[in-house]
Structures are given as structure tokens and as C-alpha cells.
Amino acid sequence: MKNKNLKTRNIRKITIGLFSLLFLTGTASAAHYRVTIDCNHSSISNTDTTNRITASFLDRNRSVIRRVSKTGITNCARNEAGFSINSERTLGYVEFSTNGNDAYYIDEWRLFVDGRLVKRTGTDNARGWCLSTDPGDARGPWQRYVTGGCRSRIRFPVSVSTVPTGNRAYRLTVDCSHSSITNTDTTNRITAAFLDENRRVIRRVAKNGIRNCQS
């Protein structure tokens, strides 16, 4: 009888544990993912579009979490297009697509998770990407500023997890060795500056002299 009671208590404990696990899983908080696109470039014009632009949020298995679309994006010089979702799934890729041949230019784009910038792709007024169903839109004035020609769909890997709360430890390493050249080290002071999403300095770390690059 004693063993039977013990077995019953163990079953109850397991059952309660399973219900607790289900409860915790069901109440996990969703992350807020937001992608913004800067479509302005100082050297080319007509970078906006009348077409439908879609941002697809994909998980690590490239399965679509959600798609968000905007029909017509104008005033690239002042506004950035934004696409947002909430999801408990971990984001692995962001994909941009268009439904027409009114070319749309992506100068750079940014990914925010819960309001924090976690990825920035592209360089302001350098080479970006063209969204269009007409590959010929990459010719002419845009040719010098388009990577990979105009495409109807462009996918970028992001591989981000939910941003942790509290303080984080950032570590930056620099490989200064090159097999074909020598004297790649320095006696000067080298400074690494860590900046936030608004380009404000969080902290600077300096080293006076860097030796033995090979090791």
C-alpha cells in the first residue's frame, strides 16, 4: 500500500511538472522584429516605387514566419520604409521582394529586435540593391550602385536570437597577420570604438603597440 501511494504521488508530480512546462511554453513572450529600409542615394534618382514591396521574415529553416507588404514607397530622401512583426520564433532570414518593374533601390537596411539595432546591412551612399522584375533596370545611372543586378527577390541571412536583457560583454578580435607581407604589427596606439544604433560612442578601448601578429 505504501509503494502504491508513493507511485501515485510520483505520477502527480510528473503530471504537475508537465502542466508547468506547458504553461511556461505557452506564455513565452514574443520578440518584436522591425526592418527599416533606407532607399535614398545621393548619386541616383527615382529610387522609390509604385510597386508592392514585401518583407518576408523567415526562421532558421527558411520557413516563412510572416510577410508584410507596402504598396508604393515614396519620398526616399526623408522617410524609411518600416516592416514589423511579433513572433516567438527565432529569425534566420529577411527577404525583400517586388511585384513589378518600377525599380526600388535599397541603399541600406536595418533590423531591430525589441527596439535594439542588431544588424545593419549596406553603407550609406555606396553600393546597394535593386528590386525589380526587369533586370535591365540595373543599367544606366544605377549601374555603378547596384550589387548583383536588379532582382525580384533578395534574401539576407540574419541569424539573430532574442536580444538578452541586462549588460552584455562585447569582444572584438583583429587578425593582423598576412602570409604575403611583413611588418603588419604597429607601435602606434590602436583604438576600437563601440557605438550604439545612433552612432554614439558607448566606450573606447585602446592598445599601445600590437606585436607578433603571426601568433
Side-chain angles (χ1 to χ4, degrees), residues 31-51:
H32 179 72
Y33 297 108
R34 177 173 173 79
V35 168
T36 63
I37 299 175
D38 173 10
C39 57
N40 184 53
H41 195 291
S42 61
S43 299
I44 53 178
S45 58
N46 300 320
T47 55
D48 51 11
T49 185
T50 58
N51 295 148

Side-chain angles (χ1 to χ4, degrees), residues 25-210:
T25 303
T27 57
S29 59
H32 179 72
Y33 297 108
R34 177 173 173 79
V35 168
T36 63
I37 299 175
D38 173 10
C39 57
N40 184 53
H41 195 291
S42 61
S43 299
I44 53 178
S45 58
N46 300 320
T47 55
D48 51 11
T49 185
T50 58
N51 295 148
R52 183 175 69 249
I53 301 299
T54 300
S56 299
F57 297 82
L58 290 76
D59 64 18
R60 291 173 177 173
N61 297 317
R62 303 187 183 185
S63 298
V64 174
I65 300 172
R66 194 168 302 165
R67 293 186 174 97
V68 183
S69 298
K70 290 182 180 291
T71 300
I73 297 174
T74 59
N75 201 6
C76 286
R78 293 188 178 183
N79 299 327
E80 291 189 351
F83 305 82
S84 300
I85 67 166
N86 292 317
S87 178
E88 296 175 8
R89 293 160 66 181
T90 300
L91 191 65
Y93 300 85
V94 172
E95 183 178 274
F96 302 111
S97 59
T98 183
N99 70 332
N101 60 1
D102 184 13
Y104 180 60
Y105 188 80
I106 300 175
D107 189 44
E108 59 179 331
W109 64 272
R110 303 176 184 88
L111 171 65
F112 299 84
V113 180
D114 293 332
R116 184 179 295 275
L117 178 67
V118 298
K119 186 176 182 66
R120 178 178 179 175
T121 303
T123 304
D124 190 34
N125 290 325
R127 289 179 66 88
W129 300 267
C130 168
L131 276 178
S132 177
T133 56
D134 181 3
D137 285 339
R139 303 189 187 103
W142 285 32
Q143 187 167 356
R144 293 176 54 195
Y145 306 105
V146 172
T147 299
C150 284
R151 291 170 283 170
S152 61
R153 190 179 305 272
I154 305 172
R155 179 181 295 175
F156 298 93
V158 293
S159 300
V160 298
S161 301
T162 302
V163 176
T165 58
N167 292 328
R168 274 158 295 264
Y170 297 100
R171 178 175 174 81
L172 174 69
T173 62
V174 179
D175 175 8
C176 57
S177 177
H178 193 290
S179 60
S180 299
I181 53 178
T182 58
N183 301 321
T184 55
D185 53 10
T186 184
T187 58
N188 297 333
R189 182 173 67 250
I190 303 299
T191 302
F194 296 82
L195 289 74
D196 65 16
E197 59 267 28
N198 297 313
R199 304 187 186 184
R200 294 174 300 195
V201 174
I202 300 172
R203 190 168 301 171
R204 291 186 174 92
V205 182
K207 289 184 178 290
N208 290 314
I210 298 176

